[in-house]
Amino acid sequence: MYQFTSPRVSRRRLSWPALATLAVTMLTGCAACQRGPAVDWDSPRMREIERVWRSLEDAYDKGDERNPDLPKVQYEEHLQSVDRLFRTRLSDQNLCELAVSPKLPPVPEDQNTFAYAMLTFMVKELVQSGGRRCLVDLLAKRCPGRIHGSETVEFYLAFHGERLKDPILVLGEAYAKCRVPEARHALVASVRRGFAGLGIRGKDDAVFVENAMQWYKKEKGHLVVNASYPTNETVPGGISLTDSYEKDPGLFDHPSPSREPLFKKMAVPPGGPKNGGEDPGP
């Protein structure tokens, strides 16, 4: 699991003014958001990161041309090298700066771009570090639908968000703050995918999102994330990222029985439910 590095305090004896400054820093917010120089999307550092990222992409593309049957493991290794590049060049503070920057780029349709790679990396790092506030700020402005391979944003939050309390609720929090039409649409789409077939309704998108979040709060005690959910992106019968609620609302209200849901009810232990356990759903 990816983690942010923690700021360290020198072991040298600190003067009282230095101690006072340190105390104020710790009390006024996340210490990780107080260190390092500012960075923005058009800064020299980001241009250099993009240059190195492009060289990694070019090297991979050339290798792919020489060997079109390149094993998936090598593709995963390439993605990991990109993540290492971003992680070593950008601090957690930098990610928050990029998330709130007015120069934040729109989510590109082409996923093979630097902007898409950076936006999805930011989501991954903030999810896995538990950086909820910055994550909500980011998704409220830019919400990439697919984060890693076939893992959509709703699955990535629910499955990898161990450091976030009720991570799926981040989608509702981001939607409440969102004023960007494209981001609102992406957030609603992620909620409708994730909560499809559960009988949740709403007179409009805002009401649907609110009802979905309330349903989860009520039912979460006996729900588990379904690890097979990403197969909806690769097999017939699922609701994939390319499916449109506007084109076919019934697909979300009454999905195919073969579709994998985002959440499943906990399995009943041998001998029947114990300690308030629930019967498994369909």
Side-chain angles (χ1 to χ4, degrees), residues 113-135:
T113 58
F114 176 70
Y116 203 98
M118 267 304 312
L119 289 170
T120 54
F121 170 78
M122 291 168 66
V123 172
K124 289 187 292 187
E125 286 290 288
L126 293 170
V127 168
Q128 296 189 20
S129 70
R132 193 185 200 99
R133 183 175 62 180
C134 289
L135 178 62

Side-chain angles (χ1 to χ4, degrees), residues 95-269:
L95 296 184
C96 288
E97 291 165 349
L98 292 172
V100 300
S101 168
K103 300 175 183 177
L104 191 66
V107 179
E109 291 186 9
D110 184 0
Q111 297 182 25
N112 297 314
T113 58
F114 176 70
Y116 203 98
M118 267 304 312
L119 289 170
T120 54
F121 170 78
M122 291 168 66
V123 172
K124 289 187 292 187
E125 286 290 288
L126 293 170
V127 168
Q128 296 189 20
S129 70
R132 193 185 200 99
R133 183 175 62 180
C134 289
L135 178 62
V136 169
D137 286 342
L138 174 61
L139 293 179
K141 295 177 182 178
R142 305 289 187 264
C143 181
R146 186 172 286 113
I147 303 303
H148 180 81
S150 60
E151 296 186 16
T152 56
V153 63
E154 68 273 14
F155 177 80
Y156 202 89
L157 275 166
F159 192 75
H160 297 283
E162 296 95 341
R163 294 193 174 187
L164 295 166
K165 177 178 171 56
D166 299 331
I168 198 67
L169 299 184
V170 166
L171 295 174
E173 294 165 23
Y175 185 83
K177 294 186 65 174
C178 184
R179 300 295 180 267
V180 181
E182 294 81 6
R184 286 177 71 85
H185 187 276
L187 288 164
V188 168
S190 68
V191 175
R192 288 192 181 277
R193 285 192 305 268
F195 291 85
L198 297 174
I200 298 169
R201 301 290 186 271
K203 63 180 181 179
D204 55 32
D205 287 340
V207 175
F208 183 90
V209 171
E210 176 61 23
N211 290 345
M213 299 300 107
Q214 291 302 320
W215 179 92
Y216 176 79
K217 291 176 183 178
K218 179 181 177 181
E219 302 291 335
K220 66 180 181 179
H222 56 267
L223 296 176
V224 293
V225 182
N226 178 14
S228 298
Y229 182 79
T231 61
N232 291 320
E233 296 294 308
T234 58
V235 299
I239 295 178
S240 74
L241 194 65
T242 57
D243 291 322
S244 169
Y245 173 74
E246 294 86 347
K247 292 180 180 178
D248 188 2
L251 183 65
F252 291 75
D253 293 339
H254 305 287
S256 165
S258 63
R259 175 188 177 272
E260 292 286 350
L262 179 58
F263 296 104
K264 286 187 173 182
K265 288 188 177 182
M266 293 180 181
V268 176

